[in-house]
């Protein structure tokens, strides 16, 4: 049976998608490959189909239990013998899978990277014919990737120790040029065929919204899509619980997923979502990798992710069937502080030296700055994403929130002068200046303990913006930072300072006109 007939009979597709055929052909010829293809582009077929045409066993190194389970279930349903080895198997089941692999009962065997070091698995690998090794989510091998997983660093040594090194296919949905280079080097790929199909997903509509109330906006958004299925991502387990409970109280069919739940509850909730028993999944980023659900009509980020890679991978779980889908990020300035806290207080990797650890943390903070810039930009959102991943893009796409008329040009000179005057007076009293929160409190006339401690209520600019909401004043400050009138210093405790160009607005009559988001109720 040729590969096109196999594609039709076993996978149900009439033709190959862009990039699939050259990757499949290279693997069948024994050549290494690196495939960078967006979520929903059909990466798994690039190694599943060759596995059926090659002799022996294909091993698939995969990072998540949910990914293994879903793919093995789908393959089994299609009549393709496959199995997985991970921590969910009891001792007897684990032995049964090993015996089945030894007698040739499977064409594909999914394993976690840490499983490669297990004695019984190594014995199996030495005794059977492995004709193909596929590394899924290959960006996990790079310390510069968003999901670095130390176990991936041992894949190359495992492959080289086999009696005959198989062809190796590495696949990922999101990887910058630096991460792609790392994948090739750290996995030991040998003159691989490189295929990057492009990151654009034309069926996805991207938007960034600053609602006065995220909960009210989310309920309205969901009410307007009564039959749609989608994912709501939150930054923390606590927020998942709060958002899910709130939606359920208002009658929405919602369930939850985060690492604090038991394995069984996560599995049950995942299946309820996949089989449309619950149409809304509220989750942390622990959910979604490898989930095979094609009819996700929207992805809402309740909080801003820590980097663009994570955002695009998570947003890309919408519209996998090619239908139009919406990807909405609900932004609030506090999201930046939450993300910064998670970066600075995350678990340290013991395999990384202290100096490297600090370098990686600074890299994460730099990527947070780029993610924040995406949330604040008035330029085309699609172009911002594509350029981040090194692709060219037109100035306007016509189908994102910033290109569809949700912006207005406004003269904010008076507001700018008030803010800049306030910062100037703070700098005069405190030469090192203060943070955005303190300056916001001063401008809006807060009676907080901090304001009284610093005697900010004695400044002439105290309360001059008391009739404007805190969120709107923060939006003006963000715009002034973006336009170069203010700057926010780096470090753990950033402070707000005037830039030289602020003098033109304060003393020489320069107008400040910006494209601003139309406020969303």
């Amino acid at each position: 049976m040729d590969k096109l007939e196999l594609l039709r009979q076993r996978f149900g597709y009439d033709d190959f998608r862009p990039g699939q055929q050259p990757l499949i052909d290279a693997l069948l010829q024994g050549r290494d490959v690196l495939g960078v293809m967006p979520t929903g582009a059909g990466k798994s077929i690039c190694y599943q189909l060759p596995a059926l045409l090659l002799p022996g066993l294909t091993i698939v190194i995969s990072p998540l239990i949910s990914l293994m389970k879903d793919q093995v279930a789908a393959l089994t349903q299609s009549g393709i013998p496959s199995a997985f080895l991970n921590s969910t198997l009891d001792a007897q089941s684990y032995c049964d899978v090993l015996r089945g692999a030894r007698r040739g009962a499977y064409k594909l065997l999914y394993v976690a990277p840490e499983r490669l070091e297990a004695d019984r698995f190594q014995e199996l690998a030495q005794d059977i014919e492995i004709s193909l090794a596929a590394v899924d989510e290959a960006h996990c091998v790079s310390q510069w990737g968003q999901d670095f997983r130390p176990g991936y660093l041992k894949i190359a040594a495992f492959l080289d120790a086999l009696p005959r090194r198989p062809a190796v296919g590495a696949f990922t949905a999101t990887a910058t040029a630096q991460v792609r280079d790392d994948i090739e080097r750290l996995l030991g790929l040998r003159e691989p065929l490189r295929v990057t199909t492009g990151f654009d997903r034309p069926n996805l509509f991207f938007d960034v919204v600053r609602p006065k109330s995220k909960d009210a906006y989310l309920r309205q958004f969901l009410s307007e899509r009564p039959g749609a299925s989608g994912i709501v991502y939150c930054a923390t387990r606590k927020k998942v619980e709060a958002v899910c409970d709130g939606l359920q109280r208002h009658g929405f069919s919602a369930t939850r997923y985060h690492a604090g739940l038991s394995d069984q509850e996560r599995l049950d909730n995942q299946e309820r979502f996949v089989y449309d028993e619950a149409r809304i999944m509220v989750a942390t980023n622990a959910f979604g990798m490898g989930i095979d659900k094609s009819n996700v009509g929207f992805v809402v980020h309740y909080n801003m992710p820590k980097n663009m890679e994570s955002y695009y991978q998570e947003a890309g779980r919408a519209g996998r069937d090619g239908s139009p889908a919406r990807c909405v990020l609900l932004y609030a300035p506090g999201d930046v502080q939450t993300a910064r806290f998670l970066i600075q207080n995350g678990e340290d990797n013991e395999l990384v030296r202290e100096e490297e650890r600090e370098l990686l943390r600074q890299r994460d903070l730099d990527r947070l700055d780029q993610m924040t810039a995406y949330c604040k930009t008035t330029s085309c959102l699609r172009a911002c994403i594509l350029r981040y991943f090194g692709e060219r893009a037109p100035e306007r796409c016509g189908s994102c929130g910033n290109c569809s008329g949700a912006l207005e040009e406004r003269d904010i000179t008076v507001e700018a002068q008030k803010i800049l005057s306030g910062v100037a007076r703070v700098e005069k009293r405190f030469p090192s200046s203060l943070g955005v929160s303190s300056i916001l409190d001063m401008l809006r006339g807060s009676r907080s303990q901090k304001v009284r401690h610093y005697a900010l209520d004695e400044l002439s600019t105290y309360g001059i913006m008391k009739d404007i909401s805190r969120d709107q004043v923060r939006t003006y400050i963000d715009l002034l930072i973006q336009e170069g009138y203010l700057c926010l210093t780096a470090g753990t405790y950033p402070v707000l300072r005037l830039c030289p160009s602020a003098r033109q607005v304060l003393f020489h009559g320069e107008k400040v006109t910006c494209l601003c988001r139309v406020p969303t109720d």
Side-chain angles (χ1 to χ4, degrees), residues 386-404:
L386 295 180
R387 288 168 185 161
Y388 179 85
F389 290 109
E391 291 192 7
R392 294 183 178 180
E395 290 300 318
R396 312 291 283 182
C397 72
S399 60
C400 74
N402 285 0
C403 292
S404 62

Side-chain angles (χ1 to χ4, degrees), residues 429-430 434 438 446-458:
R429 177 166 292 188
F430 304 99
L434 296 174
S438 297
S446 169
R447 296 298 299 166
S448 69
Q449 183 178 356
K450 187 187 298 183
V451 166
R452 295 195 299 272
H453 174 74
Y454 289 121
L456 297 178
D457 50 351
E458 298 176 5

Side-chain angles (χ1 to χ4, degrees), residues 208-455:
V208 177
V209 181
R210 294 188 181 203
K212 292 179 181 177
S213 166
K214 289 187 178 184
D215 291 327
Y217 177 91
L218 180 60
R219 291 194 298 270
Q220 179 65 29
F221 178 89
L222 297 175
S223 296
E224 293 169 355
R225 294 159 179 81
S229 178
I231 306 170
V232 179
Y233 279 109
C234 302
T236 64
R237 301 176 190 179
K238 183 178 179 180
K239 185 57 67 176
V240 167
E241 295 287 345
V243 171
C244 186
D245 288 347
L247 292 179
Q248 289 174 345
R249 284 198 307 271
H250 283 83
F252 292 98
S253 174
T255 189
R256 59 185 181 162
Y257 190 106
H258 60 71
L261 304 177
S262 68
D263 290 346
Q264 189 59 50
E265 184 174 356
R266 286 202 303 271
L267 178 61
D268 292 344
N269 292 348
Q270 176 180 310
E271 291 189 344
R272 288 185 62 214
F273 177 67
V274 168
Y275 295 109
D276 293 323
E277 295 173 13
R279 72 178 187 91
I280 302 161
M281 173 61 80
V282 186
T284 62
N285 60 6
F287 176 79
M289 192 180 290
I291 299 300
D292 187 15
K293 182 173 170 65
S294 62
N295 66 333
V296 175
F298 62 85
V299 170
V300 175
H301 278 80
Y302 191 95
N303 304 108
M304 181 189 72
K306 292 181 289 186
N307 53 69
M308 189 69 79
E309 290 91 340
S310 295
Y311 174 67
Y312 198 49
Q313 186 175 57
E314 291 158 13
R317 286 163 190 149
R320 292 184 61 166
D321 59 359
S323 299
R326 294 186 78 89
C327 306
V328 182
L329 197 165
L330 308 184
Y331 174 74
D335 292 341
V336 182
Q337 280 69 47
T338 299
R340 188 180 296 273
F341 176 85
L342 293 173
I343 289 170
Q344 293 175 331
N345 295 276
E347 293 183 9
D348 288 328
N349 180 359
E350 296 179 357
L351 297 180
V352 177
R353 295 192 302 272
E354 181 59 38
E355 59 271 21
E356 290 179 328
R357 196 174 297 158
E358 186 54 40
L359 188 63
L360 292 172
R361 187 173 289 116
Q362 187 55 53
R363 171 218 61 182
D364 289 342
L365 291 172
D366 291 343
R367 293 199 303 187
L368 173 60
D369 289 341
Q370 292 172 300
M371 187 71 242
T372 306
Y374 170 83
C375 294
K376 297 178 180 179
T377 187
T378 55
S379 301
C380 173
L381 295 172
R382 188 182 308 277
C384 184
I385 292 170
L386 295 180
R387 288 168 185 161
Y388 179 85
F389 290 109
E391 291 192 7
R392 294 183 178 180
E395 290 300 318
R396 312 291 283 182
C397 72
S399 60
C400 74
N402 285 0
C403 292
S404 62
L407 302 171
E408 63 182 10
E409 187 173 20
R410 295 159 68 182
D411 186 334
I412 62 166
T413 305
V414 173
E415 292 86 350
Q417 289 171 336
K418 290 179 179 179
I419 292 169
L420 297 174
S421 295
V423 175
R425 281 160 177 76
V426 168
E427 282 189 331
K428 187 173 182 181
R429 177 166 292 188
F430 304 99
S432 59
S433 194
L434 296 174
V436 174
S437 179
S438 297
I439 291 172
L440 271 169
D441 285 345
M442 182 272 295
L443 291 169
R444 297 197 66 252
S446 169
R447 296 298 299 166
S448 69
Q449 183 178 356
K450 187 187 298 183
V451 166
R452 295 195 299 272
H453 174 74
Y454 289 121

Side-chain angles (χ1 to χ4, degrees), residues 64-323:
L64 287 183
I65 291 171
S66 60
L67 184 151
M68 297 183 197
K69 180 182 179 299
D70 283 3
Q71 292 209 1
V72 168
L75 288 167
T76 302
Q77 190 173 7
S78 300
I80 300 171
S82 56
F84 58 77
L85 289 172
N86 60 41
S87 59
T88 66
L89 299 180
D90 58 33
Q92 184 60 51
S93 298
Y94 188 85
C95 290
D96 289 345
V97 171
L98 289 176
R99 280 195 293 268
R102 193 175 290 277
R103 69 173 185 266
Y106 312 120
K107 290 302 295 180
L108 293 105
L109 180 62
Y110 285 74
V111 296
E114 294 79 12
R115 192 66 50 184
L116 302 177
E117 294 185 291
D119 290 340
R120 284 185 294 175
F121 183 78
Q122 292 228 347
E123 291 171 7
L124 171 72
Q126 292 294 319
D127 293 342
I128 65 173
E129 181 181 8
I130 297 175
S131 53
L132 173 59
V135 183
D136 211 356
E137 308 297 340
H139 60 271
C140 294
V141 76
S142 174
Q143 294 180 13
W144 304 105
Q146 74 275 18
D147 296 309
F148 174 57
R149 186 154 171 164
Y152 271 60
L153 295 174
K154 300 177 181 179
I155 294 174
F158 166 79
L159 296 171
D160 287 340
L162 294 174
R164 186 183 69 83
R165 181 187 181 276
V168 181
F171 301 92
T172 182
T174 53
T176 60
Q178 182 178 22
V179 172
R180 292 196 292 269
D181 290 344
D182 270 2
I183 291 171
E184 289 190 30
R185 177 174 57 85
L186 296 171
L187 292 180
L189 301 185
R190 301 175 181 176
E191 298 183 354
L193 172 70
R194 305 171 187 88
V195 174
T196 301
T197 60
F199 290 93
D200 193 17
R201 296 278 303 283
N203 63 313
L204 300 185
F205 183 98
F206 293 95
D207 202 2
V208 177
V209 181
R210 294 188 181 203
K212 292 179 181 177
S213 166
K214 289 187 178 184
D215 291 327
Y217 177 91
L218 180 60
R219 291 194 298 270
Q220 179 65 29
F221 178 89
L222 297 175
S223 296
E224 293 169 355
R225 294 159 179 81
S229 178
I231 306 170
V232 179
Y233 279 109
C234 302
T236 64
R237 301 176 190 179
K238 183 178 179 180
K239 185 57 67 176
V240 167
E241 295 287 345
V243 171
C244 186
D245 288 347
L247 292 179
Q248 289 174 345
R249 284 198 307 271
H250 283 83
F252 292 98
S253 174
T255 189
R256 59 185 181 162
Y257 190 106
H258 60 71
L261 304 177
S262 68
D263 290 346
Q264 189 59 50
E265 184 174 356
R266 286 202 303 271
L267 178 61
D268 292 344
N269 292 348
Q270 176 180 310
E271 291 189 344
R272 288 185 62 214
F273 177 67
V274 168
Y275 295 109
D276 293 323
E277 295 173 13
R279 72 178 187 91
I280 302 161
M281 173 61 80
V282 186
T284 62
N285 60 6
F287 176 79
M289 192 180 290
I291 299 300
D292 187 15
K293 182 173 170 65
S294 62
N295 66 333
V296 175
F298 62 85
V299 170
V300 175
H301 278 80
Y302 191 95
N303 304 108
M304 181 189 72
K306 292 181 289 186
N307 53 69
M308 189 69 79
E309 290 91 340
S310 295
Y311 174 67
Y312 198 49
Q313 186 175 57
E314 291 158 13
R317 286 163 190 149
R320 292 184 61 166
D321 59 359
S323 299

